[in-house]
Amino acid sequence: MAEQLSGLADDRALLGRTSTAERVSDILRSRIAEGYFPPGTRLSEDSIGGALGVSRNTLREAFRLLTHERLLVHELNRGVFVRVLAVEDVEDIYRTRALVECAVVRGLGEPPYALDALAEAVEEGQRAVREGDWKALGTANIHFHRELVALAGSDRTDELMRSVFAELRLAFHVVDDPKALHEPYLARNQQILGALQAGDREEAERLLAVYLADSLGRVVEVYRRRVGEDT
């Protein structure tokens, strides 16, 4: 927990003079998505509030917002915890991803597309592989799909998927072999990027749909086994 709190203290400057529950929830959501708070972690009001320099009421409102987004859960007389997903949650996350991400690609219009951020996410993944940092590769994969969604140019879609991707990170934390989970998809990210660079959004959508179906099967298989071991 000390490392996580140190990271939060670094985020304190982001609050500036307009410290709000929404901004605090943004910071905590990002930290959850980046893996600082794994599923099942109890979030201490005193420690986190002190690290961010916010009031207890502000922090509680941020917790409430993230509970509404299904990232946190409040347990009576125990406190607030990072949510542990059920298999059905994982399946629903992927249904949402398939609906939104494929629709974004389908609706791109005529090329060329603004793909610099998407290409950077692929390069981020390649760096993670070179360094053998498989957790970072999982983060890079999420960044790739976040930037894919951003191609729609829709703030509402970005906001919706921001929470979905944060929930996805919760599922990834349960997987005991992140290399096996994430490494095969880096090449597939490159294929999708290549199709979009060539202006072939139909091929990109086809690759994406197969990608998401395969990823769902793999994650659910591993997740079901791990959840069963822990119960």
Side-chain angles (χ1 to χ4, degrees):
M1 179 63 77
E3 180 182 352
Q4 292 94 323
L5 294 176
S6 175
L8 281 181
D10 294 338
D11 287 333
R12 185 171 181 172
L14 298 175
L15 296 171
R17 296 183 178 180
T18 57
S19 175
T20 66
E22 289 81 5
R23 187 60 183 141
V24 172
S25 68
D26 285 345
I27 290 172
L28 293 179
R29 185 190 302 103
S30 295
R31 288 294 179 172
I32 291 169
E34 298 297 333
Y36 280 78
F37 299 112
T41 301
R42 182 180 180 276
L43 301 184
S44 165
E45 287 186 0
D46 290 340
S47 298
I48 293 175
L52 289 175
V54 298
S55 71
R56 187 181 296 267
N57 286 340
T58 296
L59 187 60
R60 286 178 176 174
E61 176 63 13
F63 284 172
R64 187 191 68 78
L65 292 171
L66 294 177
T67 299
H68 180 70
E69 294 179 17
R70 299 177 298 278
L71 295 177
L72 303 181
V73 61
H74 181 268
E75 297 185 11
L76 189 62
N77 299 324
R78 294 194 62 218
V80 175
F81 295 79
V82 179
R83 190 162 172 244
V84 178
L85 302 182
V87 171
E88 293 77 13
D89 294 316
V90 178
E91 292 172 334
D92 194 38
I93 288 169
Y94 272 87
R95 275 194 297 270
T96 303
R97 292 185 66 192
L99 286 168
V100 174
E101 293 186 46
C102 289
V104 167
V105 173
R106 191 181 316 124
L108 282 178
E110 296 303 316
Y113 310 120
L115 301 174
D116 288 350
L118 204 64
E120 172 54 34
V122 170
E123 293 175 8
E124 178 187 350
Q126 293 169 335
R127 288 194 298 270
V129 169
R130 289 195 296 270
E131 296 167 4
D133 190 340
W134 309 114
K135 177 181 172 182
L137 177 57
T139 298
N141 282 347
I142 289 177
H143 288 169
F144 177 86
H145 290 274
R146 184 186 66 194
E147 296 300 340
L148 187 69
V149 169
L151 293 175
S154 166
D155 290 340
R156 291 175 179 82
T157 305
D158 290 343
E159 183 176 355
L160 166 67
M161 295 306 292
R162 180 177 57 182
S163 295
V164 170
F165 290 137
E167 282 193 271
L168 181 64
R169 171 61 82 179
L170 298 183
F172 286 169
H173 274 298
V174 177
V175 177
D176 57 355
D177 189 352
K179 177 182 179 180
L181 178 66
H182 299 306
E183 190 174 27
Y185 296 98
L186 178 57
R188 298 171 85 160
N189 289 347
Q190 292 174 292
Q191 290 174 339
I192 293 169
L193 174 62
L196 291 173
Q197 288 172 329
D200 191 346
R201 70 175 186 272
E202 291 185 2
E203 175 64 5
E205 183 185 354
R206 185 192 69 79
L207 290 168
L208 178 60
V210 174
Y211 176 128
L212 291 174
D214 290 348
S215 181
L216 169 61
R218 174 60 179 155
V219 172
V220 167
E221 175 191 1
V222 175
Y223 200 87
R224 183 174 284 117
R225 183 171 67 248
R226 289 302 308 278
V227 170
E229 290 172 356
D230 295 338
T231 56

